Amino acid sequence: SLGTHDTPRILTLLGTGHEGQHESKDWRAAYRMTEEERVRGLARLKAGATLLYAFPGSPTVYYGDEAGLCGFTDPDNRRPYPWGKEDTELIEWYTQLGNLRNNKVLLDGNMSIKYANNSAVIYERVKDDNKVIVAVNMSHDNFEFVVERNMFNFITGEHTSGRINLAPNSAIILC
């Protein structure tokens, strides 16, 4: 899981880049992310969730993270679910990732890391003749890598091969 009831909401943490621990409880309770922080947080959350759902094991989501709940520490990180005010685009992202988990390679395929540095990782999940490639770029710059065969881009719904240009704070899953 990327978030828990004991930590700031993951969207807030990823968007602001800090836990707000040096601010007063009143300041943290009143704080609302700027549009720029929210956009950055959403991009990073989507990339992190992609990594989580394509990794071995069972992905878990702290309630409300899939709906875009924000907040620093208690009680903000324990706010009730925002029924009727969910971030529907984010819920669709999590739904799409949940559907991807039906891929037999992601259920129990072997994993091997093909590339990793401080801000990017590429790994493969393989089972029998099936392969899934996952790439995550958390840098401030585009990240380029090569895919040698035609693969389905689960994020865009298109087929791709050759040079892949991954934008900052983004992820891709190729099947």
Side-chain angles (χ1 to χ4, degrees):
S1 182
L2 300 175
T4 75
H5 68 282
D6 288 328
T7 61
R9 284 285 177 175
I10 190 64
L11 182 56
T12 301
L13 188 60
L14 294 173
T16 63
H18 64 86
E19 296 180 17
Q21 72 270 23
H22 299 296
E23 304 294 342
S24 70
K25 189 172 184 176
D26 289 340
W27 181 92
R28 290 190 307 263
Y31 187 83
R32 298 297 175 261
M33 286 193 300
T34 66
E35 184 60 27
E36 180 181 332
E37 289 171 333
R38 185 166 180 80
V39 167
R40 180 176 47 246
L42 285 169
R44 290 175 174 175
L45 178 56
K46 286 179 178 180
T50 301
L51 189 67
L52 180 69
Y53 272 74
F55 220 71
S58 299
T60 59
V61 178
Y62 179 52
Y63 86 94
D65 285 349
E66 78 286 4
L69 271 180
C70 298
F72 285 107
T73 54
D74 193 29
D76 299 319
N77 56 354
R78 299 176 189 217
R79 289 182 185 151
Y81 190 86
W83 295 109
K85 297 178 184 172
E86 300 94 339
D87 181 325
T88 55
E89 181 183 326
L90 191 54
I91 286 179
E92 179 57 35
W93 184 265
Y94 274 94
T95 300
Q96 190 177 4
L97 291 175
N99 291 335
L100 176 66
R101 289 294 296 185
N102 291 324
N103 184 312
K104 66 181 178 176
V105 177
L106 295 180
L107 289 175
D108 61 357
N110 293 322
M111 181 182 141
S112 62
I113 295 176
K114 297 301 180 183
Y115 175 85
N117 67 19
N118 290 340
S119 56
V121 64
I122 300 172
Y123 63 91
E124 292 179 348
R125 302 282 310 272
V126 178
K127 181 171 178 133
D128 302 324
D129 292 334
N130 298 305
K131 180 191 298 189
V132 171
I133 297 173
V134 180
V136 179
N137 178 20
M138 298 309 293
S139 76
H140 299 291
D141 301 312
N142 287 344
F143 176 74
E144 191 174 276
F145 65 100
V146 177
V147 175
E148 295 177 7
R149 65 181 175 119
N150 192 28
M151 297 186 82
F152 178 73
N153 182 335
F154 188 79
I155 306 300
T156 66
E158 301 170 347
H159 282 86
T160 189
S161 64
R163 294 198 177 281
I164 307 293
N165 193 5
L166 195 55
N169 297 317
S170 66
I172 190 170
I173 299 174
L174 302 171
C175 306

